Amino acid sequence: MSLLRAEDVHVYYGSIHAIKGISFEVNEGEIVTLIGANGAGKSTTLNTVSGLLKPRSGLIEFDGQSLVGVPASKMVSKGLALCPEGRRIFLQMSVEENLEMGAFSRPKNEIKDSMADIYDRFPRLKERYKQVAGTLSGGEQQMLAMGRALMSKPRVLMLDEPSMGLAPILVDQIFQIIKELNEAGTTILLVEQNAQQALSIAHRGYVLETGKIAATGTGKELLHDPAVQKAYLGG
């Protein structure tokens, strides 16, 4: 059974029909990526799954239970964490304070071990744990945003454009971290404009075009699909 499932989901912004009946699933242990051009509906899909937007109709289930109508504030305790587009870290707070904010739903006696795990995975954050988050580089801020989301020990980590605005060497580093997180047991739903990188690490992918799913397949299948190559991979 799929861990996360959406079926015939429709989302509107006022009178604008942004998501037009999409269906997808994420199985436990997978990296699933949503790719597509700007405005295709990728971030809207993540925001709907995470409760920030409400679907007009359709089904969204996590571990067999409906998420429709569940407030965003309750999603983290259910096991879903969103690392949002643009990072959205607390710029005036320290690295460590940002990480602590990610653990607000966890028992206090578990936070120390989780913090140690994050510092093992992101040594740069450990070096800068007292530093004000707004003074970090773009790559460090992205690591902090991911670390903050991981502090909740999510069963599904949703990543919205994690490579946005980063230098190529940092992009490679971020995707390597995503791959390692998945290998360590975290299921990942990834929204990403860098289709080449996303498909190269994803087990499966969905191509969104103007609010609809235009193609689906394994990461490898989509990488070698001529239509996908022409539209998104510069082929």
Side-chain angles (χ1 to χ4, degrees):
M1 189 179 76
S2 54
L3 184 57
L4 178 65
R5 183 168 76 95
E7 191 174 301
D8 196 25
V9 172
H10 292 259
V11 182
Y12 287 76
Y13 290 110
S15 61
I16 297 167
H17 197 177
I19 299 293
K20 303 166 184 171
I22 69 167
S23 300
F24 65 88
E25 62 180 18
V26 182
N27 298 314
E28 194 148 14
E30 283 188 315
I31 299 175
V32 172
T33 188
L34 308 178
I35 64 168
N38 264 337
K42 306 185 301 296
S43 293
T44 299
T45 299
L46 280 199
N47 288 336
T48 303
V49 171
S50 60
L52 294 168
L53 294 171
K54 288 184 178 162
R56 179 82 59 88
S57 62
L59 177 74
I60 303 171
E61 283 186 347
F62 177 62
D63 205 14
Q65 295 188 322
S66 175
L67 293 181
V68 176
V70 175
S73 59
K74 302 291 185 192
M75 292 296 182
V76 171
S77 56
K78 283 184 171 292
L80 286 153
L82 173 65
C83 183
E85 182 181 356
R87 299 162 198 141
R88 308 281 182 88
I89 57 171
F90 302 106
L91 296 175
Q92 307 302 323
M93 295 167 68
S94 72
V95 166
E96 189 139 297
E97 287 167 339
N98 268 272
L99 294 175
E100 286 170 347
M101 291 296 285
F104 75 91
S105 63
R106 305 271 312 284
K108 281 189 176 178
N109 62 336
E110 296 177 8
I111 293 174
K112 192 174 178 183
D113 286 344
S114 293
M115 194 82 75
D117 289 343
I118 297 302
Y119 286 151
D120 282 346
R121 190 165 296 284
F122 301 100
R124 196 87 58 85
L125 298 183
K126 186 175 184 180
E127 292 167 13
R128 291 159 170 70
Y129 76 101
K130 286 186 176 177
Q131 193 166 323
V132 175
T135 65
L136 298 175
S137 71
E140 290 162 352
Q141 288 188 11
Q142 184 60 54
M143 291 175 193
L144 179 56
M146 291 169 69
R148 182 182 60 185
L150 288 166
M151 283 293 290
S152 68
K153 287 279 186 194
R155 291 182 67 191
V156 176
L157 175 63
M158 296 180 285
L159 298 168
D160 195 353
E161 303 284 7
S163 76
M164 183 182 283
L166 299 184
I169 190 166
L170 286 172
V171 171
D172 291 342
Q173 196 175 345
I174 290 295
F175 276 96
Q176 183 58 37
I177 290 167
I178 294 168
K179 195 174 174 185
E180 288 169 3
L181 288 171
N182 176 249
E183 289 167 353
T186 303
T187 302
I188 291 171
L189 178 57
L190 169 66
V191 156
E192 181 56 60
Q193 266 195 288
N194 189 330
Q196 179 84 39
Q197 289 270 27
L199 292 172
S200 68
I201 65 166
H203 296 94
R204 293 185 302 107
Y206 295 86
V207 180
L208 265 67
E209 288 181 6
T210 58
K212 295 179 180 178
I213 289 173
T216 184
T218 67
K220 195 173 283 187
E221 286 167 351
L222 292 174
L223 267 177
H224 295 100
D225 182 309
V228 173
Q229 286 180 341
K230 186 176 180 184
Y232 306 107
L233 304 174

